[in-house]
Amino acid sequence: MYCRITVDGERTEFSLQRKLEARLWDDYRKRGKGRSPYITSLNSYLDQTYRGLFETYRELMLEGKVITPLKVKSRYFGVDEKSKTLKEFIDYHNATMYTSIKAGTRKNYFSTERCIDQFLKEKYKVEDIQLKKLDYSFIMDFEQYLRSYRISTRRACNNNGVMKHMERLKKMSRLAVRLGWVTKDPSKITN
């Protein structure tokens, strides 16, 4: 299966990394036919992809960019010039805040950074993540991870420790919004 992006008669395509027999495709509805678990999962994936592409298109419009299919595709996959990663942002934060926060507070931010690194490795099996992929679900998963997180022989974080890590992550996410690195604060629920 392929996704086609068309803007003003120009188009580009990319593979969805999914397969489906032609007889199970509803060409009118642009969805898989049936209610099997695979079809249900496929249709959900198609909806998710459509929403992501539409949101990407909307972001480009709000930024006043000239919109082309390649720009939509690049932004969607996070390979455009605006795309930053979480680790790039944390490094930026720690470097710029070095003189404005005390040594003890810096140590705490480095501790939160270590927790985020371990979380990314264990939960997502990656070293880094696109900053724009942070969402409320990521924040909630990180909180649950902290409640069971262990550093060598230490026990899991207590509630106060968890809340301090979460507070630091939320402060950094608000800074990312103010700097324009992301368009919305992932720590807030939006309707």
Side-chain angles (χ1 to χ4, degrees), residues 9 42 45 66 80 87 95 102 107 115 157:
L42 174 70
Y45 179 70
V66 173
D80 65 337
K87 289 182 103 170
K102 296 186 187 243
K107 178 183 72 85
C115 291
C157 289

Side-chain angles (χ1 to χ4, degrees), residues 33-73:
K33 294 180 197 173
R35 297 191 187 275
S36 72
Y38 181 76
I39 296 291
T40 304
S41 172
L42 174 70
N43 288 338
S44 177
Y45 179 70
L46 293 173
D47 290 341
Q48 180 183 8
T49 302
Y50 177 78
R51 282 192 304 271
L53 287 167
F54 184 78
E55 180 65 25
T56 300
Y57 179 82
R58 191 180 72 73
E59 283 177 13
L60 290 168
M61 280 187 62
L62 290 173
E63 293 170 12
K65 303 273 184 179
V66 173
I67 301 173
T68 67
L70 286 175
K71 281 189 181 178
V72 173
K73 180 180 173 182

Side-chain angles (χ1 to χ4, degrees), residues 157-171:
C157 289
N158 62 23
N159 190 57
N160 287 345
V162 169
M163 298 316 292
K164 286 296 186 180
H165 285 300
M166 294 304 296
E167 180 182 322
R168 287 188 283 275
L169 179 60
K170 288 176 182 179
K171 280 183 181 177

Side-chain angles (χ1 to χ4, degrees), residues 87 116-127:
K87 289 182 103 170
I116 290 170
D117 286 345
Q118 284 301 116
F119 172 67
L120 288 172
K121 287 175 187 167
E122 290 180 24
K123 169 83 173 160
Y124 294 98
K125 310 288 189 245
V126 295
E127 295 289 322

Side-chain angles (χ1 to χ4, degrees), residues 135-136 139 170 173-174 184-191:
D135 56 9
Y136 190 73
I139 302 290
K170 288 176 182 179
S173 71
R174 287 190 299 270
K184 62 183 180 198
D185 186 350
S187 66
K188 296 202 180 194
I189 299 176
T190 56
N191 294 330

